[in-house]
Amino acid sequence: MEQQLACIAWLDRTFAAEHLDYWLFGGWAVDVHAGRVTRPHDDIDVAVWQVDLVRADALLTDDGWVRGSLAEQDGYAGYHRGG
């Protein structure tokens, strides 16, 4: 959980510094809205505007994220880092 919270903080700092709009959705969005962690999470769901996808991709890959096999299926891109 600490790694995911650190990742969300990194996304917020990095995307804000680049004036890149993003939205958390899924389980972490519920927890942010609730103001507490309600359950364990397997991933972090983030949305960006399609026009910003190239910029978001560059920020993620520059930080060591690897684009996964979802490569851009139906508007989705999956990334992973580390384990």
Side-chain angles (χ1 to χ4, degrees):
M1 175 179 64
E2 291 83 18
Q3 288 179 332
Q4 289 177 331
L5 289 170
C7 176
I8 292 168
W10 175 86
L11 281 168
D12 186 60
R13 284 190 314 272
T14 304
F15 285 15
E18 294 293 321
H19 306 286
L20 197 150
D21 293 330
Y22 79 95
W23 296 265
L24 283 178
F25 65 101
W28 276 111
V30 170
D31 286 1
V32 168
H33 183 71
R36 63 185 177 86
V37 178
T38 61
R39 63 181 174 81
H41 301 280
D42 294 327
D43 60 7
I44 302 168
D45 300 306
V46 177
V48 298
W49 294 113
Q50 181 71 32
V51 69
D52 292 330
L53 183 57
V54 171
R55 287 177 48 215
D57 179 81
L59 292 169
L60 290 166
T61 56
D62 286 351
D63 191 57
W65 291 86
V66 177
R67 197 168 187 157
S69 60
L70 285 178
E72 230 185 279
Q73 180 180 23
D74 297 327
Y76 293 91
Y79 294 82
H80 65 277
R81 181 174 70 177

